[in-house]
Amino acid sequence: MFRSGALRRPRKQNVTTPSEKPQAAAVPLRSTAPRTAVAAVVDGREVDLSEVAPEGAEVRFLTPAEPDGLHVFRHSSAHLLAAAVKDLYPHARYGVGPPITDGYYYDFETAEPFSAEDLARIEKRMKQLVKQRLPFQREILPKEEAIRIFREQGERLKVELVEEKGGEQVSCYRVGQFFDFCEGPHVPHTGVIRALKVLSSSNAYWKGDARGIPMQRIYATSFPDRKQLARHLRRLEEAKRRDHRRIGRLQRLFLILEEAPGQVVWLPAGMGIVNRLLEWMRGKLDRRGYQEIRTPLILNESVWARSGHLDHYRENMYFVEGGDQGYGVKPMNCPGAAMVFRSDVRSFRDLPLRLSEFGLCHRFEPSGVLSGLTRVRAFTQDDAHIYCRLDQVKAEVLDLMDLVAEVYEAFGFSDLQVELSTRPGKSVGTDESWEAAESALLEALTESDATHVLNPGDGAFYGPKIDFHVRDALGRTHQCATIQVDFSQAEAFDLSYATPEGARERPVVIHRAILGSVERFFALLTEHTGGAFPTWLAPIQVAVIPIADRHREAAAALAGRLRDQGFRVDLDDRREKMGYKIRHAEVRRVPFMVVLGDREIASGALSVRTRGRKGARPRSEADFTARLAELVASQAVSP
RNA sequence: GCCCACGUGGCUCAGUGGUAGAGCACUUCCUUGGUAAGGAAGGGGUCACCGGUUCAAUCCCGGUCGUGGGCUCCA
């Protein structure tokens, strides 16, 4: 518990609560707020409902139904979490506790990490505090006073924060016995946090500095009602169910060997999907004037010295020796592409030169960040380098945006978020070229009607870029496609082309990946579809299931006919019950199951079951194959 | 890389200081069955690896490797 001195309220004369201001004759916002409001925006400033709006002020109320309101709600929940932790573990010093996507966390400095039992206790305590409907009370006090209080309480982290961030007057909040440095606003009382769940704990560092103070972070979430919480928890379950590592195991798509951490072993089923995916991409690239190349996996160190990787990327690279020469394993495909460009005399007539490469890149990632197919040490980039003039950038980017949309829509990803990142502090290239490139990107974005977010100063040192984030079936976003302008490569590799006047000029390079890493895209697609791959990609498209031994011959004949038409068919003629085989196919998410028994043989029709749908419908073989062919040809998203 | 947890048959996981179990999967036999698991029998594990403590280690301790979650979305 807090020592008594710390508990004492700051003396009255030091406190300026809004209600004590002269204009306090007016009524607090709360009295006119809708029931679900958690805070208000008065003239653009977020405030507590206990505050009073000045005459004629513009007032808007925030509810958890909107992002800003939910933010306040979760922020208050974080305070509640810290309050519970301080009740139960008085020695835990509290750090920071912001709301995050889907919840909030709070960091504590403790000797011992929190166990699962601790988390359960904390959740229980939080719920007790909710029942008490404790008010969130704002207190404004002088900086020195706040520092004194936190120092008395032994909260050295808070002292540090107040010293760093506090103005002359410092805003703090009290909820029950818990007192925290915080700008607010907050919900009126803990009672509104009706549904909460403590999720997990893990390690973090004070201010994110791995050399700094280790902290124990507790993740939790909260909602204004239990239904929403239940829905969220169901979604978490669903995410687990769709985990590409689980499905990869179940459907025998890929392996990751202990002997080769961070690298993927593609099994036949997964390899087939990847191959079909890449063939499909190749078709698109052909039509858009790309020329595919393949460059060496390992290149002499001199190349990496020239490209700058040796200076800036060394710790992420693998090196090998051959003879007395040192070689670097490529972490990116750019130098190879640059050498292809340089291998011939280029003229302005050759531009834009679009060189694509499905290049296998190796990057030494720290062991702690590896994860399934999403964070690996070896991956295939669906890369391309477009060599063009600065004035061609816009047209190329427009074409790329079109390609990105086309590719992602084909898999049912309709929600693409676009980010434009501009020149960072440290960068190469002239002011004029940056300006031209940035405006080319911006114009392309505008013309393609893409709503985008601006990330000023977040571009690469060699040029501005556009990143794409896709939203999957569970509402999670993933960074995939990227378009980057590069002013550095042409210089580093002395690339040039002949202008109409016969002069030599440096081309601008556009790097771009559409799928990003093929491995990561595969993971995304697996989780997005829950393993129910669209028919054109599915490892097995049809499971042919004979009912009894006497139907095996007809089933084999049918399977043969389907295979002759190019379909991928599994003939399940094991001596098992039909229901068992149906289940087998359903679990593997085979798009179609065709059951063959006496009835089918007599009628000549097929009984076709579609995955995920109970029962079967009769269909003529011709209809069925026509339907299959159509699904494949159109690359239908479902089934 | 750092912190925490975990590593037991192909998979999911139980378990104990006295050289190990379940379900699924697999094999064989019986069953010939109408849209998500028929029955029986059987095979399969140096309990991740290396070292230590102990009469005895899968279990306790240390190390290594691997896996998982996390490592600021800034009061």
Side-chain angles (χ1 to χ4, degrees):
Chain A
M1 283 299 129
F2 300 105
R3 278 168 289 132
S4 57
L7 268 178
R8 198 178 52 222
R9 275 183 83 99
R11 274 161 305 168
K12 266 280 176 200
Q13 52 266 45
N14 286 338
V15 182
T16 321
T17 57
S19 59
E20 287 165 340
K21 284 177 185 164
Q23 67 267 39
V27 287
L29 289 161
R30 186 180 297 159
S31 58
T32 55
R35 199 181 50 81
T36 54
V38 291
V41 183
V42 176
D43 290 332
R45 199 172 63 89
E46 291 190 3
V47 298
D48 291 331
L49 294 180
S50 57
E51 296 227 9
V52 173
E55 195 78 16
E58 190 189 317
V59 176
R60 189 166 66 84
F61 290 103
L62 293 175
T63 75
E66 63 194 300
D68 289 349
L70 190 60
H71 199 266
V72 169
F73 183 84
R74 297 260 172 80
H75 189 190
S76 301
S77 305
H79 277 240
L80 174 64
L81 168 63
V85 170
K86 285 298 287 186
D87 274 2
L88 298 166
Y89 311 92
H91 298 293
R93 295 194 192 94
Y94 49 109
V96 295
I100 52 174
T101 314
D102 291 335
Y104 51 94
Y105 66 78
Y106 217 112
D107 286 346
F108 302 91
E109 185 189 357
T110 64
E112 287 290 306
F114 294 103
S115 67
E117 294 78 50
D118 290 330
L119 298 185
R121 283 182 70 199
I122 291 164
E123 182 177 312
K124 199 171 157 200
R125 183 72 190 133
M126 285 175 77
K127 287 175 176 167
Q128 288 168 354
L129 296 176
V130 166
K131 279 213 184 87
Q132 291 174 22
R133 299 170 69 90
L134 300 167
F136 279 83
Q137 292 166 303
R138 187 169 200 219
E139 295 173 12
I140 308 287
L141 53 163
K143 186 172 187 172
E144 311 79 61
E145 176 72 3
I147 291 173
R148 189 187 62 73
I149 293 173
F150 286 119
R151 188 164 284 143
E152 271 179 21
Q153 295 176 355
E155 298 292 353
R156 59 168 171 153
L157 303 175
K158 284 292 160 184
V159 171
E160 192 179 323
L161 286 178
V162 176
E163 280 174 344
E164 268 175 26
K165 309 207 174 196
E168 255 174 54
Q169 296 289 307
V170 161
S171 162
C172 291
Y173 276 82
R174 183 181 300 282
V175 57
Q177 314 224 308
F178 179 70
F179 187 69
D180 198 359
F181 173 44
C182 180
E183 189 59 34
H186 280 288
V187 301
H189 60 85
T190 58
V192 304
I193 305 169
R194 269 187 284 274
L196 61 89
K197 176 94 184 154
V198 175
L199 296 168
S200 62
S201 66
S202 69
N203 171 259
Y205 296 95
W206 178 238
K207 295 180 174 170
D209 179 5
R211 291 158 305 179
I213 306 165
M215 306 283 289
Q216 297 303 320
R217 174 169 300 177
I218 298 178
Y219 285 92
T221 192
S222 61
F223 291 88
D225 68 65
R226 295 214 174 78
K227 251 193 199 153
Q228 288 179 46
L229 174 64
R231 198 180 314 142
H232 181 252
L233 295 178
R234 265 202 307 279
R235 216 174 53 209
L236 292 183
E237 283 304 309
E238 181 65 14
K240 251 187 237 166
R241 209 181 60 75
R242 289 175 177 234
D243 191 309
H244 72 278
R245 291 165 297 196
R246 194 184 85 86
I247 289 169
R249 182 69 236 151
L250 192 66
Q251 295 195 21
R252 311 284 134 96
L253 302 173
F254 63 89
L255 300 176
I256 294 179
L257 298 174
E258 195 167 309
E259 292 81 356
Q263 299 182 75
V264 184
V265 179
W266 287 106
L267 298 175
M271 192 74 248
I273 294 175
V274 169
N275 284 153
R276 286 185 281 281
L277 195 59
L278 295 191
E279 271 320 301
W280 178 75
M281 282 300 294
R282 284 193 171 99
K284 297 203 173 298
L285 297 184
D286 285 348
R287 261 170 274 134
R288 288 170 191 261
Y290 283 82
Q291 295 170 282
E292 186 171 346
I293 57 172
R294 171 169 290 171
T295 66
L297 225 59
I298 62 173
L299 290 154
N300 196 284
E301 278 185 17
S302 61
V303 174
W304 304 108
R306 190 188 254 264
S307 66
H309 284 86
L310 236 40
D311 288 338
H312 301 294
Y313 210 71
R314 184 177 208 114
E315 59 283 10
N316 280 300
M317 285 180 66
Y318 288 95
F319 293 94
V320 293
E321 270 172 36
D324 54 356
Q325 295 286 303
Y327 295 86
V329 182
K330 68 173 172 184
M332 299 173 193
N333 302 303
C334 336
M339 293 172 82
V340 170
F341 183 91
R342 212 173 50 167
S343 69
D344 210 337
V345 183
R346 305 292 177 181
S347 133
F348 71 95
R349 296 178 201 280
D350 299 322
L351 307 186
L353 182 69
R354 307 184 186 93
L355 298 176
S356 65
E357 174 169 17
F358 295 96
L360 179 60
C361 296
H362 289 72
R363 294 181 187 175
F364 182 78
E365 301 283 355
S367 59
V369 305
L370 300 179
S371 177
L373 296 187
T374 52
R375 258 328 257 292
V376 290
R377 285 178 174 160
F379 57 94
T380 311
Q381 247 184 356
D382 71 319
D383 209 349
H385 294 84
I386 299 170
Y387 297 87
C388 64
R389 298 190 313 260
L390 197 51
D391 65 309
Q392 292 172 320
V393 168
K394 180 180 152 190
E396 288 305 308
V397 170
L398 270 171
D399 182 61
L400 286 170
M401 308 239 345
D402 187 56
L403 177 58
V404 169
E406 183 181 325
V407 166
Y408 283 90
E409 267 166 30
F411 297 101
F413 298 108
S414 47
D415 190 359
L416 282 173
Q417 291 166 26
V418 187
E419 279 180 17
L420 172 62
S421 299
T422 56
R423 189 175 195 176
K426 258 177 74 179
S427 58
V428 301
T430 62
D431 291 354
E432 301 82 62
S433 51
W434 270 91
E435 211 166 288
E438 284 178 6
S439 58
L441 293 186
L442 197 60
E443 280 171 36
L445 285 172
T446 316
E447 264 181 49
S448 66
D449 256 353
T451 50
H452 63 275
V453 182
L454 196 65
N455 276 344
D458 216 28
F461 74 90
Y462 49 76
K465 60 173 182 174
I466 298 175
D467 290 321
F468 298 82
H469 297 252
V470 302
R471 186 178 291 279
D472 71 13
L474 294 178
R476 302 170 299 186
T477 58
H478 309 263
Q479 217 254 258
C480 292
T482 182
I483 301 172
Q484 310 185 350
V485 179
D486 184 341
F487 303 123
S488 159
Q489 186 186 99
E491 197 71 43
F493 286 93
D494 191 27
L495 308 181
S496 64
Y497 63 91
T499 66
E501 295 75 33
R504 314 255 3 137
E505 245 172 54
R506 299 226 180 275
V508 173
V509 183
I510 302 173
H511 307 254
R512 127 277 94 128
I514 307 297
L515 304 174
S517 137
V518 173
E519 285 75 7
R520 180 189 291 176
F521 183 82
F522 184 94
L524 168 61
L525 187 62
T526 303
E527 302 196 356
H528 182 65
T529 60
F533 295 100
T535 302
W536 71 277
L537 279 178
I540 296 169
Q541 297 168 311
V542 185
V544 175
I545 300 173
I547 290 188
D549 282 354
R550 63 180 177 281
H551 312 122
R552 289 169 84 166
E553 206 178 313
L558 171 65
R561 288 197 298 279
L562 291 171
R563 284 187 189 125
D564 284 345
Q565 291 181 64
F567 301 118
R568 296 181 290 279
V569 181
D570 175 53
L571 173 63
D572 191 352
D573 59 358
R574 294 175 296 176
R575 300 187 50 157
E576 295 287 351
K577 284 193 145 181
M578 186 204 57
Y580 179 89
K581 298 183 199 176
I582 295 275
R583 179 182 155 77
H584 183 82
E586 282 283 357
V587 165
R588 280 158 191 73
R589 319 245 51 196
V590 176
F592 297 101
M593 288 146 268
V594 177
V595 172
L596 217 67
D598 290 337
R599 287 211 297 260
E600 288 73 20
I601 290 171
S603 72
L606 302 180
S607 287
V608 179
R609 177 186 168 116
T610 308
R611 79 177 153 209
R613 293 190 204 150
K614 292 206 184 309
R617 46 176 56 188
R619 239 187 184 157
S620 76
E621 190 173 326
D623 277 0
F624 176 58
T625 53
R627 168 84 175 129
L628 263 183
E630 201 252 308
L631 284 171
V632 172
S634 67
Q635 270 129 10
V637 175
S638 69

